[in-house]
C-alpha cells in the first residue's frame, strides 16, 4: 500500500548522505562507460600464480593507473539472481530478492532506474551490450522498465562457433565489436558492457590462454585464473580501442565485479590459493569485488571506504550533479562524508570496518577474532534487517508505482524495442 511506500521513503530520505561538494557534478554530461567483470573477486588483484601476476592490467588500474579510484573494501550484495541481482542493484539501489531473481519475477514492476533518470535529467542515451541472447535473465522485458534505449545482444554480434566459450561470446571479440556500437550512440551516453568469458565452468581454448592453469587440482579454481587473465587482456585491449576512437578522454569509466566466481564448494582449493583456512569469517571477506571509477580531470588512487553495489547509483547521480534525495535509494554516495559503511548481505549478514556478522556470529573485521554481540552490533543488525525488508516490500508490492518524483515521468515500456517488430 502507499503507507508501505511512506515507510520506505522515510527510511531512505533520513538515511540519505549529502554529496561531497568537490565531486558533486564533476562528471556532468560526460559519457559513462560501465564495464562488468563477470564473476571477478578482488582476491585476484595483485595475486601471483607461480610468480606471475594474474591480472596485470587491472592491477595497474587498482593502483591508480589511468587515474582510476579503486575501492578495495567494496562488496557484492547479490543473491540467487547473480548477474541479474548485480544489475538490478547497481541501476536501482534496491536489493535483489531473498529467493529467485527479481529480473524474472518482477520484470513488469515500475522502476525509477538510473538510465531513465540520466535521460530525463541530463539527456543521456542508454545502452547495454552483451554477447548472450536478450531473453536471458528476462533482460528484454525488465530493461524496458528501466528505460534502456538500446540493447545490443548476441544478435548484434558475430556468434560463430570459434568466437564462443562458456556462456557466450568471448570477451575480446565482444569488446572489439562493441566500439562501433558505442560510436553509433547519441552523446552523452550511459553504456553498460557485460562480459562473459570469466564465467563458470571457466574453460578457455589453448590459443586464448596466456597463463598456466592453477595447480590446486580443483578444475574450477584452476581455470578461473586463466579466464581472469583473458578478461584482463580483453579490458586492456578495450582501453586501447577507446583511446583510438576518441571516446576515452571525456568519459567516466566504471569497472565492477558482479559476484563471487568461486563458491564455498571450493574451500579446500581456495585455502591453498589464499594460504589461509576458509572460515565463515574469511568467506565473508572473500565477497569483495572490485569497484573502480575514473572521472576525467580527477586524480585516482585507492579508497578504503566500505561499500557495496547498493551505493553505486547515488554515487553516479551525485557525479552528475543530480539531486538524489528525491529518489528512493537504499545506498549512499561512496564519496560522501556521511556515507553509511554498513554493507548488508542478502542473507542478513553484514560487514562494517569494525564488525563482520556472518549469520549471527560476530567477528572483528580487522583481526577475524570472534566477539560477543554488543549494543552496536545489535543496532547494526536491526538496521540491516530493516533495509532488506523495506527493499523487499518495494519489489513485492511494486511500490514505485505510487512514488511521484517531481520532474520525473514514469517510464512507459511500450516506448522501447529491442529488435522486435516495429523497431
Ligand atoms: C548471462 C550472464 C551470466 O547472460 O550475464 O549470468 P550469471 O550466470 O552470472 O548470473
Ligand atoms: Mn554473473
Amino acid at each position: 500500500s502507499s503507507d508501505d511506500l511512506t515507510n520506505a521513503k522515510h527510511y531512505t530520505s533520513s538515511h540519505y548522505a549529502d554529496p561531497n561538494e568537490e565531486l558533486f557534478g564533476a562528471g556532468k554530461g560526460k559519457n559513462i562507460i560501465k564495464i562488468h567483470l563477470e564473476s571477478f573477486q578482488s582476491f585476484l588483484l595483485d595475486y601471483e600464480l607461480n610468480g606471475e601476476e594474474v591480472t596485470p592490467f587491472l592491477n595497474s588500474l587498482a593502483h591508480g593507473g589511468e587515474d582510476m579510484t579503486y575501492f578495495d573494501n567494496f562488496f557484492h550484495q547479490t543473491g540467487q539472481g547473480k548477474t541479474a541481482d548485480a544489475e538490478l542493484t547497481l541501476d536501482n539501489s534496491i536489493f535483489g530478492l531473498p529467493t529467485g531473481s527479481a529480473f524474472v519475477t518482477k520484470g513488469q514492476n515500475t522502476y525509477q532506474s538510473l538510465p531513465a533518470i540520466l535521460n530525463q535529467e541530463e539527456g543521456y542515451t542508454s545502452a547495454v551490450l552483451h554477447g548472450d541472447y536478450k531473453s536471458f535473465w528476462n533482460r528484454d522485458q525488465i530493461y524496458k522498465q528501466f528505460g534502456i534505449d538500446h540493447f545490443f545482444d548476441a544478435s548484434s554480434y558475430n556468434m560463430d562457433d570459434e568466437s564462443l566459450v562458456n556462456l557466450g561470446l568471448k570477451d575480446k571479440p565482444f569488446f572489439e565489436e562493441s566500439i562501433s556500437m558505442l560510436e553509433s550512440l547519441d552523446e552523452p551516453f550511459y553504456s553498460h558492457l557485460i562480459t562473459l568469458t570469466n564465467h563458470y565452468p571457466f574453460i578457455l581454448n589453448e590459443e586464448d590462454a596466456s597463463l598456466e592453469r592453477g595447480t590446486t587440482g580443483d578444475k574450477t579454481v584452476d581455470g578461473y585464473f586463466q579466464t581472469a587473465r583473458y578478461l584482463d587482456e580483453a579490458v586492456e585491449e578495450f582501453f586501447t580501442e577507446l583511446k583510438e576512437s576518441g571516446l576515452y578522454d571525456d568519459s567516466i569509466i566504471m569497472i565492477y565485479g558482479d559476484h563471487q566466481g568461486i563458491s564455498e564448494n571450493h574451500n579446500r582449493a581456495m585455502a591453498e590459493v589464499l594460504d589461509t583456512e576458509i572460515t565463515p569469517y574469511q568467506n565473508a571477506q572473500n565477497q569483495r569485488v572490485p569497484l573502480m571509477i575514473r572521472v576525467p580531470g580527477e586524480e585516482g588512487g585507492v579508497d578504503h571506504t566500505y561499500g557495496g553495489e547498493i551505493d553505486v547509483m547515488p554515487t553516479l547521480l551525485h557525479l552528475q550533479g543530480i539531486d538524489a534525495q528525491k529518489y528512493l535509494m537504499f545506498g549512499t554516495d561512496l564519496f560522501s562524508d556521511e556515507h553509511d559503511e554498513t554493507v548488508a548481505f542478502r542473507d542478513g549478514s553484514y560487514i562494517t570496518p569494525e564488525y563482520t556478522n556472518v549469520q549471527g556470529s560476530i567477528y572483528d573485521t580487522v583481526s577475524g577474532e570472534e566477539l560477543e554481540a554488543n549494543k552496536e552490533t545489535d543496532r547494526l543488525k536491526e538496521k540491516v534487517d530493516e533495509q532488506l525488508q523495506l527493499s523487499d516490500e518495494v519489489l513485492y508490492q511494486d511500490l514505485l508505482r505510487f512514488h511521484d518524483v517531481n520532474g520525473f515521468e514514469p517510464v512507459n515500456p511500450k516506448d522501447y524495442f529491442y529488435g522486435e517488430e516495429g523497431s
Side-chain angles (χ1 to χ4, degrees), residues 38 83 258-259:
E38 179 56 43
T83 292
D258 62 339
H259 52 70

Side-chain angles (χ1 to χ4, degrees), residues 5-23:
L5 173 66
T6 310
N7 289 340
K9 188 64 199 167
H10 181 259
Y11 179 88
T12 61
S13 42
S14 55
H15 184 237
Y16 179 74
D18 283 329
N20 170 323
E21 272 174 37
E22 263 167 55
L23 287 168

Side-chain angles (χ1 to χ4, degrees), residues 36-40 78 81-87 130 136-137 139 167 194-196 198-200 257-261:
H36 166 118
L37 302 181
E38 179 56 43
S39 302
F40 195 102
T78 62
K82 310 276 306 249
T83 292
D85 280 359
E87 289 188 53
H130 184 46
F136 200 97
W137 281 131
R139 285 182 172 109
L167 283 201
I194 307 175
T195 62
L196 260 186
N198 191 47
H199 191 289
Y200 183 83
D258 62 339
H259 52 70
Q260 69 172 14

Side-chain angles (χ1 to χ4, degrees), residues 28-220:
K28 198 178 183 68
K30 303 202 181 298
N31 294 329
I32 303 171
I33 300 172
K34 188 171 112 177
I35 304 170
H36 166 118
L37 302 181
E38 179 56 43
S39 302
F40 195 102
Q41 292 175 240
S42 299
F43 80 83
L44 287 165
L45 295 173
D46 285 341
Y47 190 81
E48 289 189 5
L49 193 65
N50 307 318
E52 205 183 329
E53 287 178 88
V54 175
T55 59
F57 183 67
L58 292 166
N59 294 349
S60 70
L61 301 183
H63 292 288
E66 304 287 343
D67 280 328
M68 281 284 174
T69 297
Y70 167 51
F71 289 89
D72 63 349
N73 290 311
F74 184 82
F75 294 81
H76 84 84
Q77 296 171 295
T78 62
Q80 292 172 348
K82 310 276 306 249
T83 292
D85 280 359
E87 289 188 53
L88 176 88
T89 302
L90 261 77
D91 268 352
N92 296 276
S93 196
I94 52 181
F95 292 94
L97 291 172
T99 58
S101 155
F103 258 45
V104 175
T105 62
K106 303 297 166 199
Q108 314 225 34
N109 275 18
T110 295
Y111 293 93
Q112 291 163 349
S113 301
L114 185 59
I117 295 171
L118 290 175
N119 173 260
Q120 293 191 29
E121 301 238 20
E122 297 291 329
Y124 275 74
T125 306
S126 55
V128 175
L129 302 90
H130 184 46
D132 191 2
Y133 291 92
K134 65 183 177 186
S135 62
F136 200 97
W137 281 131
N138 199 34
R139 285 182 172 109
D140 56 339
Q141 182 172 22
I142 202 164
Y143 281 1
K144 296 179 180 180
Q145 311 288 353
F146 291 179
I148 291 171
D149 296 312
H150 304 282
F151 182 14
F152 298 99
D153 78 327
S155 64
S156 299
Y157 292 88
N158 175 0
M159 297 290 281
D160 288 350
D161 273 355
E162 69 273 16
S163 306
L164 308 181
V165 73
N166 299 321
L167 283 201
L169 183 61
K170 290 181 196 172
D171 298 338
K172 286 184 185 179
F174 165 67
F175 280 124
E176 201 181 313
E177 286 192 60
S178 295
I179 288 284
S180 62
M181 298 170 203
L182 293 179
E183 286 172 337
S184 76
L185 299 172
D186 286 336
E187 298 186 64
F189 60 75
Y190 171 55
S191 61
H192 182 193
L193 296 104
I194 307 175
T195 62
L196 260 186
T197 305
N198 191 47
H199 191 289
Y200 183 83
F202 309 108
I203 288 167
L204 201 64
N205 320 344
E206 195 70 46
E207 66 267 25
D208 290 321
S210 64
L211 183 77
E212 299 282 309
R213 292 170 58 84
T215 54
T216 66
D218 178 319
K219 266 197 202 144
T220 302

